[in-house]
Amino acid sequence: MRNVTLTDIFQQPSAQKYLNRSGVVHAIATAYHALSFAKEYGVDPDLATKAALLHDVGHYTWYTNGQWDYSLYKENDIHAIKGAERAHKLLIRLGEDPRKAKEIALAILLHTDSYLPKGQLDLLPLQRVVALADEADEEPGGMHHYRNLDMKTALSRIKKLDRLVDAQYETENLKHSV
């Protein structure tokens, strides 16, 4: 049983504000990719989809002369740090298990190395799943953040993803009861 669903998260005004800023289409697509990767890596699909949905909620818009400035973003970005904090706070307020909220926040923190000194991180499976899911939906120049979708359709896709996560849990429970 999940304490907090993706729908619960998505319907929060603060989540919608930050998801819209960072690209709701990208967030949802990344969550769908995370569900697939979660199966492959043996990761909890609930944690994977939540972390993937919220992975970019720390984005700030970087503009020069009224135009998106990708190089400025790449040079100064720390969205994973801010996003981990925002996601953790939101999940705790919604009633998520604190240990799960921390795992999700850490996966968000480590989904990108864009702000870290050069070097290889040894990611845990959940962290790797979120990073792979994000990479699977990337477009050159950060354009994946600018695809549009109306909120009704977005909510419909989130609800479908919730059903898929629930179905995966049901399948796992059946395996364990046999």
Side-chain angles (χ1 to χ4, degrees):
M1 179 71 182
R2 300 188 296 157
N3 291 350
V4 177
T5 65
L6 296 164
T7 302
D8 295 332
I9 294 167
F10 187 75
Q11 290 180 324
Q12 290 298 304
S14 62
Q16 287 189 11
K17 172 185 173 181
Y18 296 120
L19 289 170
N20 279 324
R21 179 184 290 171
S22 63
V24 71
V25 176
H26 172 59
I28 294 170
T30 303
Y32 273 90
H33 288 301
L35 181 62
S36 296
F37 285 123
K39 292 175 190 174
E40 182 180 336
Y41 284 84
V43 167
D44 183 324
D46 182 48
L47 301 182
T49 55
K50 287 174 182 170
L53 180 70
L54 296 170
H55 79 282
D56 277 344
V57 296
H59 266 290
Y60 177 79
T61 49
W62 295 96
Y63 289 94
T64 301
N65 298 322
Q67 297 292 318
W68 167 246
D69 190 330
Y70 186 68
S71 61
L72 190 62
Y73 153 74
K74 290 301 280 181
E75 182 181 335
N76 298 295
D77 178 57
I78 59 167
H79 79 275
I81 297 168
K82 187 69 175 173
E85 186 272 332
R86 284 180 179 157
H88 187 264
K89 183 177 179 179
L90 172 66
L91 291 165
I92 293 296
R93 284 185 174 169
L94 287 172
E96 184 63 80
D97 175 272
R99 290 177 302 275
K100 290 180 179 181
K102 181 179 178 180
E103 266 190 86
I104 292 165
L106 288 173
I108 292 167
L109 178 66
L110 298 172
H111 83 273
T112 182
D113 61 1
S114 66
Y115 62 95
L116 296 172
K118 297 294 180 220
Q120 184 68 22
L121 291 177
D122 190 18
L123 299 178
L124 297 175
L126 174 61
Q127 297 160 359
R128 181 165 316 288
V129 162
V130 177
L132 289 171
D134 183 32
E135 290 171 10
D137 193 59
E138 281 185 1
E139 293 178 14
M143 295 311 296
H144 51 281
H145 294 290
Y146 296 95
R147 296 184 307 234
N148 294 314
L149 184 68
D150 66 273
M151 294 311 269
K152 182 178 177 183
T153 304
L155 180 58
S156 174
R157 290 183 185 176
I158 292 289
K159 287 180 177 181
K160 179 180 179 186
L161 188 54
D162 269 329
R163 290 190 299 273
L164 292 170
V165 171
D166 288 340
Q168 193 163 335
Y169 274 125
E170 289 171 17
T171 301
E172 287 299 314
N173 286 339
L174 288 175
K175 286 180 188 175
H176 294 296
S177 66
V178 174

